[in-house]
Amino acid sequence: MVLTFIGPALIGIAVFLIYPLLAAIYFSFTRFDMFNPPVWVGLDFWQYVLFDDPTVRVAAKNTLVFVVLMVPARTVGALLTAMLLNAMKRSRSTYRTLYYLPALAPPVTATIAFVLLLKPGTGPVNTLLAQFGIEGPGWFNDPDWAKTSLTLLALWGVGDLMIIFMAALLDVPKELYEAASLDGASRRHQFRYVTLPTISPVLLFAVITGIIGTLNYFTQAAVAGSVASGQVTSGSGIAGTFGYPENATLTYPMRLYSIGFGNNLFGAANVMAVILFVVSMTATIVLLRRFKAFTGSGS
């Protein structure tokens, strides 16, 4: 009887998760081009990815930087925005809609619009800064500002997390705030000892999904590099602008794509996919254990 209900789910997990994972592990030890039978090469591609390709290390470093920048920025930005909107007495629905709208924009469209807004020289943002005597940076065209520009893009579309945090904040029992207020707790202490512990599962969800999403960061970085370089391409041609400028925006999934579909090294691409899976699972497990230790739920 139990298998009758969980059977469809088990079949889906086996077909769409377990089999692709096992296949990726197997193909990581082979040389194949999706047309000819795979040829076993052992650890050759593992050595190539881990030690012989410096671009993989650049891409991994960039992705780690994006995780450090984007995940805290999106989480804190969404939480602060949600708290601000929940504290409003009037026009809350209007502002909530305005803040949520950017999250509804398709990633490609939003990225193109953002790059054009920050375009050096002719972009509205730098034009406005020039009115105040400020020389605007190169944004997506400057290696020192490209990561910051993508982080601002991620922060602009924070509306999806904001809605989740708004619901979580409204779910905090008012009696806890009243009790803390009677005990003389300031707003800062109420936030620290009442709000944060209550919404901690939602914070954990936001951080875990943020890390996994950023480790798979591809579309926005690829489109931004293509548009900023002035060589707007599509399909496989977009790989020519990956990482623009100077590999500053090259992410791990982008390098995986280049190795697989650009160099036809699908064995090496599977190595990178397996490593990405292991890193994502490790980060998730570590965060879950830290959360259990923090809340004491593991005892």
Side-chain angles (χ1 to χ4, degrees), residues 164-186:
I164 296 174
F165 278 128
M166 288 185 69
L169 291 170
L170 291 174
D171 203 37
V172 179
K174 294 182 179 180
E175 295 80 6
L176 295 179
Y177 289 119
E178 294 173 356
S181 180
L182 290 174
D183 288 338
S186 63

Side-chain angles (χ1 to χ4, degrees), residues 26-66:
Y26 168 73
F27 286 127
S28 70
F29 297 99
T30 66
R31 181 188 301 276
F32 76 109
D33 55 10
M34 295 196 301
F35 297 102
N36 300 308
V39 178
W40 186 267
V41 295
L43 297 174
D44 288 359
F45 284 126
W46 285 86
Q47 178 179 344
Y48 173 78
V49 169
L50 294 175
F51 304 106
D52 297 341
D53 188 351
T55 311
V56 171
R57 293 192 290 272
V58 173
K61 180 181 176 181
N62 288 341
T63 303
L64 178 61
V65 172
F66 282 130

Side-chain angles (χ1 to χ4, degrees), residues 79-265:
L79 179 58
L80 292 178
T81 305
M83 293 175 62
L84 177 63
L85 291 179
N86 279 349
M88 295 179 63
K89 302 299 182 182
R90 302 174 59 183
S91 304
R92 179 190 302 176
S93 299
T94 302
Y95 284 103
R96 180 177 56 198
T97 302
L98 291 175
Y99 278 111
Y100 183 65
L101 281 177
L104 297 178
V108 174
T109 305
T111 304
I112 293 175
F114 212 77
V115 173
L116 295 178
L117 285 172
L118 298 179
K119 188 175 182 180
T122 59
V125 173
N126 278 7
T127 301
L128 179 62
L129 291 175
Q131 299 297 321
F132 296 93
I134 302 174
E135 182 180 356
W139 301 112
F140 289 100
N141 294 85
D142 187 340
D144 296 328
W145 280 89
K147 293 184 179 65
T148 302
S149 302
L150 285 172
T151 303
L152 292 175
L153 172 61
L155 192 59
W156 178 63
V158 81
D160 52 350
L161 267 184
M162 176 201 70
I163 293 295
I164 296 174
F165 278 128
M166 288 185 69
L169 291 170
L170 291 174
D171 203 37
V172 179
K174 294 182 179 180
E175 295 80 6
L176 295 179
Y177 289 119
E178 294 173 356
S181 180
L182 290 174
D183 288 338
S186 63
R187 288 189 175 273
R188 181 172 63 87
H189 286 92
Q190 290 179 29
F191 175 76
R192 170 64 181 85
Y193 296 104
V194 176
T195 305
L196 284 182
T198 306
I199 68 170
S200 57
V202 180
L203 280 171
L204 177 68
F205 167 81
V207 172
I208 289 178
T209 55
I211 290 176
I212 294 175
T214 309
L215 288 174
N216 290 276
Y217 197 62
F218 183 96
T219 303
Q220 291 88 337
V223 174
S226 177
V227 177
S229 67
Q231 305 175 31
V232 183
T233 54
S234 61
S236 59
I238 197 173
T241 59
F242 277 177
Y244 178 87
E246 300 178 16
N247 281 341
T249 60
L250 182 68
T251 65
Y252 190 87
M254 292 164 68
R255 183 55 183 161
L256 189 158
Y257 177 94
S258 297
I259 286 180
F261 293 96
N263 302 336
N264 289 325
L265 298 176

